Amino acid sequence: MTTSLVAKVKSRMFIVAHRRARTMLDGEYGSVFRGRSLDFDDLRAYTAGDEVRDIDWKASARYGSPLVKRYAAVRRQTVLLVADTGRNMAAVSRGGDAKKDVAVMALGVLGYLAHRHGDHIALVSGDAESSSSLPPRGGEAHLEVLLRRVDGAVAPDGGRSDLTAQLAHVAKTVAQRTLLVVVADEAALDDEDEALIRRLAAQHEILWLTVRDAELAGPDAPRRSYDVADGGVLLSLLADAGDVLAEYRRLVEERNARREALLTRLGIVEGHVDSVDGVLPAIFRLLERHRRGR
């Protein structure tokens, strides 16, 4: 019997993660939508990372330790997950997991947080040849369908990766304001991408999570590998040469610096994740930095 992908996400969140970490993650997610209408829900114990302004001082004095007010959204929001399912995501991440597995766990955690907060989840995914979407809905069953869509679409012989195609699909088809979360690998973005992302940022709240590529040169690189983008063999032993290694690292740094500078100019916070085990802390850092505005 196939294990539910949502069950795997919940296992990581509720068994692997400490309860305090889950509470903090919930709190960071709840602060993402600026200007959302909130009603008081209940009180809970203060944890590191909570806003001081949310402390109920009178209740804290009676209780004997700090309590913070917890609020519930009056209306549902839509979280739109954007995922590259081209063959680049079949490659290995820096931490050794398939990039697809890292992406599915990240999408699952974000989707499950949205579900816990009563928000709806939508998906846009695809490759260079086509993009498809799942409409916004709530519930674990819908999240399972969404995760299965991403998990089943990625293959080494699949379509070429082209994140621009998925972002253009969002720009053409999504009219409402959403929390738009992009999960992709170390994409190379150019001026055309900047114009497209600027247009999206004017309509949506955007978070960007980058799954880091495997190290393909130097002592930690595999001795033999191949490029899923074109099937070519990568002779990593050759990259041990000082000049080849230096040039490879320069090109990677330039590509990543261009992407980071572009997103920074547009006020978009980018997070990074290396492995499935790193997903929870990476998402917490991403949400925290977004809340703090940097």
PDB file of all heavy atoms in Angstrom, residues 1-28:
ATOM      1  N   MET A   1       0.851  -1.197   0.000  1.00  0.00           N
ATOM      2  CA  MET A   1       0.000   0.000   0.000  1.00  0.00           C
ATOM      3  C   MET A   1       0.887   1.247   0.000  1.00  0.00           C
ATOM      4  O   MET A   1       1.860   1.345   0.749  1.00  0.00           O
ATOM      5  CB  MET A   1      -0.896   0.002   1.245  1.00  0.00           C
ATOM      6  CG  MET A   1      -1.840   1.192   1.305  1.00  0.00           C
ATOM      7  SD  MET A   1      -2.933   1.087   2.746  1.00  0.00           S
ATOM      8  CE  MET A   1      -3.845   2.602   2.556  1.00  0.00           C
ATOM      9  N   THR A   2       0.553   2.218  -0.862  1.00  0.00           N
ATOM     10  CA  THR A   2       1.336   3.441  -0.974  1.00  0.00           C
ATOM     11  C   THR A   2       1.111   4.327   0.246  1.00  0.00           C
ATOM     12  O   THR A   2      -0.026   4.590   0.640  1.00  0.00           O
ATOM     13  CB  THR A   2       0.953   4.206  -2.248  1.00  0.00           C
ATOM     14  OG1 THR A   2       1.113   3.348  -3.368  1.00  0.00           O
ATOM     15  CG2 THR A   2       1.827   5.435  -2.412  1.00  0.00           C
ATOM     16  N   THR A   3       2.203   4.790   0.836  1.00  0.00           N
ATOM     17  CA  THR A   3       2.107   5.665   2.001  1.00  0.00           C
ATOM     18  C   THR A   3       1.642   7.044   1.584  1.00  0.00           C
ATOM     19  O   THR A   3       2.114   7.605   0.595  1.00  0.00           O
ATOM     20  CB  THR A   3       3.473   5.779   2.703  1.00  0.00           C
ATOM     21  OG1 THR A   3       3.928   4.482   3.053  1.00  0.00           O
ATOM     22  CG2 THR A   3       3.360   6.644   3.948  1.00  0.00           C
ATOM     23  N   SER A   4       0.713   7.604   2.328  1.00  0.00           N
ATOM     24  CA  SER A   4       0.221   8.954   2.053  1.00  0.00           C
ATOM     25  C   SER A   4       1.357   9.965   2.188  1.00  0.00           C
ATOM     26  O   SER A   4       2.119   9.942   3.162  1.00  0.00           O
ATOM     27  CB  SER A   4      -0.914   9.292   3.023  1.00  0.00           C
ATOM     28  OG  SER A   4      -1.118  10.685   3.097  1.00  0.00           O
ATOM     29  N   LEU A   5       1.469  10.875   1.225  1.00  0.00           N
ATOM     30  CA  LEU A   5       2.488  11.923   1.307  1.00  0.00           C
ATOM     31  C   LEU A   5       2.162  12.904   2.428  1.00  0.00           C
ATOM     32  O   LEU A   5       3.059  13.414   3.100  1.00  0.00           O
ATOM     33  CB  LEU A   5       2.602  12.647  -0.036  1.00  0.00           C
ATOM     34  CG  LEU A   5       3.138  11.792  -1.193  1.00  0.00           C
ATOM     35  CD1 LEU A   5       3.086  12.566  -2.504  1.00  0.00           C
ATOM     36  CD2 LEU A   5       4.569  11.349  -0.906  1.00  0.00           C
ATOM     37  N   VAL A   6       0.877  13.168   2.631  1.00  0.00           N
ATOM     38  CA  VAL A   6       0.485  14.044   3.747  1.00  0.00           C
ATOM     39  C   VAL A   6       0.865  13.401   5.071  1.00  0.00           C
ATOM     40  O   VAL A   6       1.315  14.085   6.000  1.00  0.00           O
ATOM     41  CB  VAL A   6      -1.025  14.349   3.696  1.00  0.00           C
ATOM     42  CG1 VAL A   6      -1.464  15.095   4.954  1.00  0.00           C
ATOM     43  CG2 VAL A   6      -1.367  15.173   2.463  1.00  0.00           C
ATOM     44  N   ALA A   7       0.716  12.067   5.167  1.00  0.00           N
ATOM     45  CA  ALA A   7       1.104  11.370   6.398  1.00  0.00           C
ATOM     46  C   ALA A   7       2.597  11.534   6.663  1.00  0.00           C
ATOM     47  O   ALA A   7       3.016  11.686   7.819  1.00  0.00           O
ATOM     48  CB  ALA A   7       0.737   9.892   6.296  1.00  0.00           C
ATOM     49  N   LYS A   8       3.408  11.496   5.608  1.00  0.00           N
ATOM     50  CA  LYS A   8       4.849  11.701   5.778  1.00  0.00           C
ATOM     51  C   LYS A   8       5.139  13.108   6.286  1.00  0.00           C
ATOM     52  O   LYS A   8       6.012  13.314   7.144  1.00  0.00           O
ATOM     53  CB  LYS A   8       5.570  11.458   4.456  1.00  0.00           C
ATOM     54  CG  LYS A   8       5.599  10.002   4.006  1.00  0.00           C
ATOM     55  CD  LYS A   8       6.374   9.853   2.705  1.00  0.00           C
ATOM     56  CE  LYS A   8       6.428   8.402   2.262  1.00  0.00           C
ATOM     57  NZ  LYS A   8       7.177   8.241   0.985  1.00  0.00           N
ATOM     58  N   VAL A   9       4.419  14.080   5.744  1.00  0.00           N
ATOM     59  CA  VAL A   9       4.594  15.467   6.193  1.00  0.00           C
ATOM     60  C   VAL A   9       4.214  15.598   7.661  1.00  0.00           C
ATOM     61  O   VAL A   9       4.949  16.190   8.467  1.00  0.00           O
ATOM     62  CB  VAL A   9       3.750  16.418   5.324  1.00  0.00           C
ATOM     63  CG1 VAL A   9       3.739  17.828   5.921  1.00  0.00           C
ATOM     64  CG2 VAL A   9       4.278  16.450   3.893  1.00  0.00           C
ATOM     65  N   LYS A  10       3.065  15.058   8.026  1.00  0.00           N
ATOM     66  CA  LYS A  10       2.603  15.149   9.411  1.00  0.00           C
ATOM     67  C   LYS A  10       3.541  14.410  10.359  1.00  0.00           C
ATOM     68  O   LYS A  10       3.789  14.870  11.489  1.00  0.00           O
ATOM     69  CB  LYS A  10       1.186  14.593   9.524  1.00  0.00           C
ATOM     70  CG  LYS A  10       0.146  15.451   8.823  1.00  0.00           C
ATOM     71  CD  LYS A  10      -1.187  14.745   8.675  1.00  0.00           C
ATOM     72  CE  LYS A  10      -1.869  14.508   9.986  1.00  0.00           C
ATOM     73  NZ  LYS A  10      -3.227  13.922   9.798  1.00  0.00           N
ATOM     74  N   SER A  11       4.089  13.295   9.919  1.00  0.00           N
ATOM     75  CA  SER A  11       5.044  12.560  10.743  1.00  0.00           C
ATOM     76  C   SER A  11       6.261  13.419  11.040  1.00  0.00           C
ATOM     77  O   SER A  11       6.740  13.472  12.178  1.00  0.00           O
ATOM     78  CB  SER A  11       5.463  11.273  10.033  1.00  0.00           C
ATOM     79  OG  SER A  11       6.497  10.627  10.747  1.00  0.00           O
ATOM     80  N   ARG A  12       6.752  14.104  10.030  1.00  0.00           N
ATOM     81  CA  ARG A  12       7.930  14.956  10.239  1.00  0.00           C
ATOM     82  C   ARG A  12       7.596  16.136  11.132  1.00  0.00           C
ATOM     83  O   ARG A  12       8.399  16.568  11.953  1.00  0.00           O
ATOM     84  CB  ARG A  12       8.462  15.434   8.888  1.00  0.00           C
ATOM     85  CG  ARG A  12       9.795  16.168   8.973  1.00  0.00           C
ATOM     86  CD  ARG A  12      10.497  16.169   7.643  1.00  0.00           C
ATOM     87  NE  ARG A  12      10.913  14.835   7.259  1.00  0.00           N
ATOM     88  CZ  ARG A  12      12.074  14.277   7.601  1.00  0.00           C
ATOM     89  NH1 ARG A  12      12.927  14.956   8.354  1.00  0.00           N
ATOM     90  NH2 ARG A  12      12.387  13.072   7.208  1.00  0.00           N
ATOM     91  N   MET A  13       6.394  16.681  10.989  1.00  0.00           N
ATOM     92  CA  MET A  13       6.016  17.855  11.776  1.00  0.00           C
ATOM     93  C   MET A  13       5.671  17.505  13.213  1.00  0.00           C
ATOM     94  O   MET A  13       5.966  18.270  14.134  1.00  0.00           O
ATOM     95  CB  MET A  13       4.826  18.562  11.121  1.00  0.00           C
ATOM     96  CG  MET A  13       5.144  19.235   9.799  1.00  0.00           C
ATOM     97  SD  MET A  13       3.723  20.130   9.114  1.00  0.00           S
ATOM     98  CE  MET A  13       3.575  21.497  10.268  1.00  0.00           C
ATOM     99  N   PHE A  14       5.044  16.335  13.444  1.00  0.00           N
ATOM    100  CA  PHE A  14       4.508  16.032  14.772  1.00  0.00           C
ATOM    101  C   PHE A  14       5.315  14.990  15.536  1.00  0.00           C
ATOM    102  O   PHE A  14       5.108  14.819  16.732  1.00  0.00           O
ATOM    103  CB  PHE A  14       3.055  15.575  14.656  1.00  0.00           C
ATOM    104  CG  PHE A  14       2.132  16.674  14.250  1.00  0.00           C
ATOM    105  CD1 PHE A  14       1.826  16.872  12.917  1.00  0.00           C
ATOM    106  CD2 PHE A  14       1.592  17.526  15.194  1.00  0.00           C
ATOM    107  CE1 PHE A  14       0.981  17.908  12.531  1.00  0.00           C
ATOM    108  CE2 PHE A  14       0.746  18.559  14.818  1.00  0.00           C
ATOM    109  CZ  PHE A  14       0.444  18.750  13.478  1.00  0.00           C
ATOM    110  N   ILE A  15       6.219  14.305  14.862  1.00  0.00           N
ATOM    111  CA  ILE A  15       7.056  13.320  15.546  1.00  0.00           C
ATOM    112  C   ILE A  15       8.505  13.789  15.603  1.00  0.00           C
ATOM    113  O   ILE A  15       9.124  13.811  16.668  1.00  0.00           O
ATOM    114  CB  ILE A  15       6.961  11.941  14.854  1.00  0.00           C
ATOM    115  CG1 ILE A  15       5.532  11.409  14.938  1.00  0.00           C
ATOM    116  CG2 ILE A  15       7.942  10.954  15.483  1.00  0.00           C
ATOM    117  CD1 ILE A  15       5.315  10.086  14.210  1.00  0.00           C
ATOM    118  N   VAL A  16       9.029  14.208  14.457  1.00  0.00           N
ATOM    119  CA  VAL A  16      10.423  14.649  14.410  1.00  0.00           C
ATOM    120  C   VAL A  16      10.585  16.006  15.069  1.00  0.00           C
ATOM    121  O   VAL A  16      11.500  16.239  15.845  1.00  0.00           O
ATOM    122  CB  VAL A  16      10.926  14.698  12.943  1.00  0.00           C
ATOM    123  CG1 VAL A  16      12.345  15.218  12.883  1.00  0.00           C
ATOM    124  CG2 VAL A  16      10.839  13.309  12.318  1.00  0.00           C
ATOM    125  N   ALA A  17       9.662  16.939  14.766  1.00  0.00           N
ATOM    126  CA  ALA A  17       9.785  18.301  15.292  1.00  0.00           C
ATOM    127  C   ALA A  17       9.287  18.393  16.726  1.00  0.00           C
ATOM    128  O   ALA A  17       8.301  17.745  17.103  1.00  0.00           O
ATOM    129  CB  ALA A  17       9.003  19.272  14.413  1.00  0.00           C
ATOM    130  N   HIS A  18       9.943  19.220  17.511  1.00  0.00           N
ATOM    131  CA  HIS A  18       9.536  19.472  18.894  1.00  0.00           C
ATOM    132  C   HIS A  18       8.256  20.310  18.888  1.00  0.00           C
ATOM    133  O   HIS A  18       8.018  21.119  17.995  1.00  0.00           O
ATOM    134  CB  HIS A  18      10.661  20.215  19.624  1.00  0.00           C
ATOM    135  CG  HIS A  18      10.451  20.315  21.094  1.00  0.00           C
ATOM    136  ND1 HIS A  18       9.687  21.319  21.658  1.00  0.00           N
ATOM    137  CD2 HIS A  18      10.897  19.558  22.126  1.00  0.00           C
ATOM    138  CE1 HIS A  18       9.686  21.173  22.982  1.00  0.00           C
ATOM    139  NE2 HIS A  18      10.403  20.117  23.281  1.00  0.00           N
ATOM    140  N   ARG A  19       7.407  20.132  19.893  1.00  0.00           N
ATOM    141  CA  ARG A  19       6.139  20.858  19.973  1.00  0.00           C
ATOM    142  C   ARG A  19       6.360  22.366  19.956  1.00  0.00           C
ATOM    143  O   ARG A  19       5.608  23.110  19.323  1.00  0.00           O
ATOM    144  CB  ARG A  19       5.396  20.458  21.250  1.00  0.00           C
ATOM    145  CG  ARG A  19       4.034  21.127  21.416  1.00  0.00           C
ATOM    146  CD  ARG A  19       3.282  20.491  22.572  1.00  0.00           C
ATOM    147  NE  ARG A  19       1.975  21.108  22.755  1.00  0.00           N
ATOM    148  CZ  ARG A  19       1.756  22.137  23.566  1.00  0.00           C
ATOM    149  NH1 ARG A  19       2.749  22.645  24.268  1.00  0.00           N
ATOM    150  NH2 ARG A  19       0.534  22.638  23.685  1.00  0.00           N
ATOM    151  N   ARG A  20       7.387  22.818  20.629  1.00  0.00           N
ATOM    152  CA  ARG A  20       7.661  24.253  20.654  1.00  0.00           C
ATOM    153  C   ARG A  20       8.003  24.754  19.255  1.00  0.00           C
ATOM    154  O   ARG A  20       7.574  25.847  18.848  1.00  0.00           O
ATOM    155  CB  ARG A  20       8.831  24.537  21.605  1.00  0.00           C
ATOM    156  CG  ARG A  20       9.207  26.005  21.698  1.00  0.00           C
ATOM    157  CD  ARG A  20      10.370  26.193  22.657  1.00  0.00           C
ATOM    158  NE  ARG A  20      10.793  27.571  22.700  1.00  0.00           N
ATOM    159  CZ  ARG A  20      11.876  28.001  23.359  1.00  0.00           C
ATOM    160  NH1 ARG A  20      12.603  27.123  24.034  1.00  0.00           N
ATOM    161  NH2 ARG A  20      12.204  29.257  23.352  1.00  0.00           N
ATOM    162  N   ALA A  21       8.752  23.955  18.487  1.00  0.00           N
ATOM    163  CA  ALA A  21       9.105  24.343  17.126  1.00  0.00           C
ATOM    164  C   ALA A  21       7.854  24.431  16.255  1.00  0.00           C
ATOM    165  O   ALA A  21       7.718  25.332  15.428  1.00  0.00           O
ATOM    166  CB  ALA A  21      10.100  23.350  16.535  1.00  0.00           C
ATOM    167  N   ARG A  22       6.914  23.500  16.445  1.00  0.00           N
ATOM    168  CA  ARG A  22       5.671  23.537  15.672  1.00  0.00           C
ATOM    169  C   ARG A  22       4.861  24.773  16.015  1.00  0.00           C
ATOM    170  O   ARG A  22       4.279  25.410  15.138  1.00  0.00           O
ATOM    171  CB  ARG A  22       4.839  22.279  15.936  1.00  0.00           C
ATOM    172  CG  ARG A  22       5.473  20.992  15.457  1.00  0.00           C
ATOM    173  CD  ARG A  22       4.418  19.883  15.388  1.00  0.00           C
ATOM    174  NE  ARG A  22       3.704  19.692  16.639  1.00  0.00           N
ATOM    175  CZ  ARG A  22       4.101  18.884  17.606  1.00  0.00           C
ATOM    176  NH1 ARG A  22       5.245  18.222  17.499  1.00  0.00           N
ATOM    177  NH2 ARG A  22       3.383  18.738  18.702  1.00  0.00           N
ATOM    178  N   THR A  23       4.817  25.118  17.297  1.00  0.00           N
ATOM    179  CA  THR A  23       4.070  26.301  17.719  1.00  0.00           C
ATOM    180  C   THR A  23       4.661  27.554  17.097  1.00  0.00           C
ATOM    181  O   THR A  23       3.936  28.432  16.612  1.00  0.00           O
ATOM    182  CB  THR A  23       4.086  26.420  19.251  1.00  0.00           C
ATOM    183  OG1 THR A  23       3.478  25.259  19.827  1.00  0.00           O
ATOM    184  CG2 THR A  23       3.334  27.662  19.707  1.00  0.00           C
ATOM    185  N   MET A  24       5.993  27.647  17.091  1.00  0.00           N
ATOM    186  CA  MET A  24       6.656  28.801  16.498  1.00  0.00           C
ATOM    187  C   MET A  24       6.408  28.858  14.999  1.00  0.00           C
ATOM    188  O   MET A  24       6.194  29.930  14.426  1.00  0.00           O
ATOM    189  CB  MET A  24       8.150  28.760  16.809  1.00  0.00           C
ATOM    190  CG  MET A  24       8.476  28.943  18.293  1.00  0.00           C
ATOM    191  SD  MET A  24      10.217  28.649  18.687  1.00  0.00           S
ATOM    192  CE  MET A  24      10.984  30.034  17.842  1.00  0.00           C
ATOM    193  N   LEU A  25       6.427  27.695  14.347  1.00  0.00           N
ATOM    194  CA  LEU A  25       6.185  27.644  12.906  1.00  0.00           C
ATOM    195  C   LEU A  25       4.766  28.098  12.597  1.00  0.00           C
ATOM    196  O   LEU A  25       4.532  28.862  11.648  1.00  0.00           O
ATOM    197  CB  LEU A  25       6.418  26.217  12.400  1.00  0.00           C
ATOM    198  CG  LEU A  25       6.516  26.000  10.889  1.00  0.00           C
ATOM    199  CD1 LEU A  25       7.657  26.820  10.300  1.00  0.00           C
ATOM    200  CD2 LEU A  25       6.735  24.525  10.593  1.00  0.00           C
ATOM    201  N   ASP A  26       3.791  27.644  13.389  1.00  0.00           N
ATOM    202  CA  ASP A  26       2.409  28.086  13.232  1.00  0.00           C
ATOM    203  C   ASP A  26       2.302  29.599  13.372  1.00  0.00           C
ATOM    204  O   ASP A  26       1.597  30.268  12.614  1.00  0.00           O
ATOM    205  CB  ASP A  26       1.514  27.418  14.276  1.00  0.00           C
ATOM    206  CG  ASP A  26       0.821  26.179  13.738  1.00  0.00           C
ATOM    207  OD1 ASP A  26       0.468  26.169  12.553  1.00  0.00           O
ATOM    208  OD2 ASP A  26       0.641  25.224  14.516  1.00  0.00           O
ATOM    209  N   GLY A  27       3.019  30.130  14.380  1.00  0.00           N
ATOM    210  CA  GLY A  27       2.978  31.567  14.617  1.00  0.00           C
ATOM    211  C   GLY A  27       3.550  32.364  13.467  1.00  0.00           C
ATOM    212  O   GLY A  27       3.001  33.402  13.074  1.00  0.00           O
ATOM    213  N   GLU A  28       4.654  31.890  12.908  1.00  0.00           N
ATOM    214  CA  GLU A  28       5.268  32.590  11.778  1.00  0.00           C
ATOM    215  C   GLU A  28       4.355  32.548  10.560  1.00  0.00           C
ATOM    216  O   GLU A  28       4.210  33.540   9.846  1.00  0.00           O
ATOM    217  CB  GLU A  28       6.624  31.973  11.438  1.00  0.00           C
ATOM    218  CG  GLU A  28       7.697  32.189  12.492  1.00  0.00           C
ATOM    219  CD  GLU A  28       8.026  33.659  12.720  1.00  0.00           C
ATOM    220  OE1 GLU A  28       7.747  34.488  11.827  1.00  0.00           O
ATOM    221  OE2 GLU A  28       8.542  33.983  13.809  1.00  0.00           O
TER     222      GLU A  28
END
